[in-house]
């Protein structure tokens, strides 16, 4: 009988404790949820304001995308701390937990930290910027965005290539837009029986007629090699970046047409099959 009375007393105490703590817990949960929802709304608002500020101030687009990512992540971390604190976690305990978690995460995510450091180096030393056409890590494309961990490239086929910043900052990069002009080098072989002087004149004439090819520095043609089956000529000319490929493809098409008209042979491999 005493056991039954003790059991009922414990149940009564548990109910009283629950009624005492539940209102406070419910209030904390509701407050934390409100802080979370309002915090996300404020973060989106701040991000829009920061974006408008960068646009009006005409900052470097590379710096803009990087700082936007950094600010967004920083604000979300602050929101997380506020929500956890509202749920009753002590600040000192939270600092200790974050410190321990930070150490573990840092060890597990060394590559991500290297990518973050690489992003900072890219912004400081500026090997490229948004809008540049680069070649790196086996990918050719136009830089669309530089975030805190990765750089996004738009390839020639309009695909998006995402390259880690750590690899970009520690490996070779070719920036085709670093200079306003670019030199092309076109190799073409002619037969040994063809007139070298005439072939060179035709190539220089094509360059002189093309408005996209710069006249200073002047185009040049050299005999680059006496090959096994052809005399290999090397045509070199300069063009501005915006019209470089237009000039390149025009020269290729014109030299074939004019060589054919002038009777200049362009050798190509041939296979002769004899039937016994």
């Amino acid at each position: 009988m005493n056991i039954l009375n003790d059991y009922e007393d414990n149940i009564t105490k548990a109910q009283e404790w629950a009624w005492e703590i539940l209102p406070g817990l419910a209030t904390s949960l509701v407050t934390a949820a409100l802080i979370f929802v309002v915090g996300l709304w404020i973060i989106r608002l701040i991000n829009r304001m920061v974006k408008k500020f960068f646009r009006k101030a005409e900052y470097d687009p590379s710096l803009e995308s990087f700082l936007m990512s950094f600010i967004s992540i920083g604000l979300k971390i602050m929101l997380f701390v506020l929500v956890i604190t509202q749920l009753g976690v002590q600040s000192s305990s939270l600092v200790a937990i974050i410190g321990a978690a930070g150490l573990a995460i840092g060890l597990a995510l060394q590559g991500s930290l290297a990518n973050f450091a690489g992003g900072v180096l890219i912004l400081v030393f500026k090997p490229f910027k948004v809008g540049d056409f680069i070649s790196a890590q086996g990918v050719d494309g136009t830089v669309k965005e530089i975030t805190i961990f990765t750089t996004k490239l738009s390839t020639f086929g309009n695909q998006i290539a995402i390259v880690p910043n750590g690899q970009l900052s520690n490996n070779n990069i070719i920036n085709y837009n670093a200079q306003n002009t670019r030199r092309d080098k076109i190799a073409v072989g002619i037969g040994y029986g063809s007139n070298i002087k005439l072939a060179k004149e035709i190539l220089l004439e094509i360059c002189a007629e093309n408005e996209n090819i710069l006249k200073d520095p002047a185009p040049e043609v050299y005999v680059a090699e006496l090959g096994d089956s052809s005399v290999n000529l090397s045509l070199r000319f300069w063009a501005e970046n915006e019209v470089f490929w237009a000039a390149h493809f025009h020269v290729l098409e014109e030299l074939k047409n004019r060589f054919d008209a002038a009777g200049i042979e362009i050798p190509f491999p041939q296979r002769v099959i004899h039937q016994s």
Side-chain angles (χ1 to χ4, degrees), residues 196 199-201 203-204 207 219-223 233-236:
I196 296 178
K200 293 173 67 174
E201 290 176 351
L203 292 175
L204 292 176
C207 293
E220 300 173 317
V221 184
Y222 300 101
V223 176
L233 304 180
S234 178
L235 171 63
R236 303 178 184 185

Side-chain angles (χ1 to χ4, degrees), residues 63-258:
L63 180 64
E64 176 186 337
S65 58
F66 184 90
L67 289 180
M68 286 288 296
S69 300
F70 186 80
I71 291 172
S72 178
I73 291 176
L75 290 174
K76 289 177 181 177
I77 292 175
M78 292 175 60
L79 176 61
F80 172 77
V81 172
L82 287 175
V83 171
I84 293 298
T85 303
Q86 182 61 38
L87 291 176
V89 179
Q90 298 296 325
S91 300
S92 57
S93 301
L94 183 60
V95 171
I97 293 172
I98 292 176
L103 178 60
I105 293 173
L107 293 174
L109 301 177
Q110 295 182 29
S112 296
L113 294 177
N115 290 331
F116 175 78
V120 173
L121 291 175
I122 289 172
L123 289 176
V124 171
F125 295 104
K126 295 185 180 298
F128 56 83
K129 63 182 184 298
V130 172
D132 284 350
F133 187 86
I134 67 172
S135 177
Q137 298 298 303
V139 180
D140 298 340
T142 302
V143 179
K144 303 299 291 185
E145 184 179 4
I146 302 173
T147 65
I148 60 174
F149 295 120
T150 61
T151 294
K152 296 181 181 180
L153 305 178
S154 177
T155 66
F156 181 78
N158 201 33
Q159 295 90 17
I160 296 296
I162 301 175
V163 184
N165 288 334
Q167 297 181 16
L168 285 176
S169 63
N170 290 307
N171 290 281
N172 297 332
I173 300 172
I174 299 176
N175 188 343
Y176 293 98
N177 292 108
Q179 304 294 334
N180 294 327
T181 58
R182 182 173 165 189
R183 186 174 71 170
D184 199 0
K185 179 180 178 182
I186 296 178
V188 56
I190 63 174
Y192 272 93
S194 299
N195 189 324
I196 296 178
K197 182 179 179 182
L198 177 59
K200 293 173 67 174
E201 290 176 351
I202 290 175
L203 292 175
L204 292 176
E205 182 180 296
I206 294 172
C207 293
E209 295 174 356
N210 192 320
E211 60 182 12
N212 291 328
I213 296 177
L214 298 178
K215 306 307 182 281
D216 185 20
E220 300 173 317
V221 184
Y222 300 101
V223 176
E225 181 186 16
L226 299 178
D228 294 335
S229 58
S230 65
V231 177
N232 297 324
L233 304 180
S234 178
L235 171 63
R236 303 178 184 185
F237 61 83
W238 292 82
E240 295 183 355
N241 286 327
E242 293 77 6
V243 295
F244 175 83
W245 287 112
H248 175 85
F249 294 130
H250 174 81
V251 170
L252 286 178
E253 182 177 349
E254 281 297 305
L255 74 86
K256 175 63 171 65
N257 292 333
R258 299 196 188 189

